[in-house]
Amino acid sequence: ARTNGLTVHVTPPFDQYTTPEAFESVPDFTTKVFKLTPDNPFAEPLAGKDAMYVVALDKRIPPELPPLDAVRDRVIADYKHEQALSLARRAGESFVQALTNGVAQGKSFAAICAQEKIIPVAVPPLSLSTTNTPPAIEGHVSLYQFQQLAFSTPVGHTSDFSPTREGGLVVHVQHELPINEAEMARNLPSFMQSVRQTRRSEALNAWLQ
């Protein structure tokens, strides 16, 4: 690392259930690093939100049972979080049931939300090729999960309840917008060029193999 001009940091000790704050944007960080051993101490480069990380095993600390005073605040916080998560998910399931009953009575989605004191969040139009998470849902649900819910739900209908790390969500699909012909015509040349490059790369790789 020194010969490559890189700075090395040693994380505070952590367990397989707690991701260090600096690596919260790395998917499955603890799962990957807890596979490291003294004989195989280096992990493959790990992709975070804004950086790539190369990590290595420093040492394993033997497990010990900490005194209650050392973990009391964390235990209380974890308990409160689990209880809040459970309550949020139960509320989500209850809302879905209220939607089912309300629709059967001819009520609109907006009317049922008002009745249940739920404030719906409007999301700008998006497609399956959208790569930027709308600000309204950023940090609350992954774009992939939201797209899967939205595009598997018929227009005018509401999805089933889908759990998230904060609780969960339902997606109500208002409209399916027609293709913007002008935008499609404007982007078609660059799209075709991209497809050509991809096919050339695939052909080259097949030939090399």
Side-chain angles (χ1 to χ4, degrees):
R2 281 195 299 271
T3 59
N4 283 274
L6 301 176
T7 303
V8 177
H9 299 280
V10 179
T11 69
F14 60 93
D15 59 36
Q16 64 188 49
Y17 305 108
T18 308
T19 302
E21 183 177 354
F23 298 99
E24 288 181 345
S25 66
V26 179
D28 301 323
F29 175 79
T30 54
T31 301
K32 293 171 182 175
V33 299
F34 268 83
K35 293 179 180 178
L36 302 180
T37 66
D39 295 328
N40 183 28
F42 303 107
E44 294 293 325
L46 304 177
K49 183 177 181 180
D50 301 311
M52 296 293 294
Y53 300 96
V54 176
V55 299
L57 173 66
D58 181 26
K59 63 177 178 245
R60 285 184 177 270
I61 301 174
E64 61 179 14
L65 187 63
L68 178 60
D69 288 343
V71 297
R72 183 188 304 274
D73 290 344
R74 179 177 167 186
V75 169
I76 292 174
D78 287 348
Y79 176 77
K80 288 181 177 179
H81 178 266
E82 289 300 321
Q83 291 298 306
L85 190 62
S86 177
L87 288 171
R89 289 179 175 171
R90 287 208 298 269
E93 295 286 0
S94 176
F95 176 61
V96 170
Q97 186 59 52
L99 278 170
T100 302
N101 296 336
V103 169
Q105 297 169 12
K107 296 180 180 179
S108 68
F109 178 77
I112 299 169
C113 286
Q115 170 189 304
E116 298 297 316
K117 296 181 173 58
I118 297 292
I119 302 175
V121 176
V123 178
L126 77 164
S127 69
L128 283 172
S129 61
T130 297
T131 56
N132 295 323
T133 305
I137 62 172
E138 188 172 14
H140 302 291
V141 59
S142 73
L143 177 61
Y144 175 78
Q145 182 181 1
F146 187 83
Q147 287 170 319
Q148 293 304 304
L149 283 173
F151 287 94
S152 62
T153 303
V155 176
H157 290 73
T158 305
S159 71
D160 292 330
F161 177 78
S162 182
T164 67
R165 64 183 181 181
E166 293 182 338
L169 79 159
V170 296
V171 176
H172 179 74
V173 180
Q174 288 184 304
H175 308 289
E176 182 177 16
L177 302 179
I179 294 174
N180 187 321
E181 298 289 346
E183 184 176 353
M184 183 177 69
R186 184 169 59 252
N187 294 331
L188 186 58
S190 60
F191 174 75
M192 292 177 64
Q193 181 64 21
S194 174
V195 172
R196 289 192 187 99
Q197 291 176 347
T198 301
R199 296 294 183 265
R200 287 169 183 162
S201 297
E202 292 173 350
L204 177 60
N205 289 333
W207 180 80
L208 290 173
Q209 292 173 3

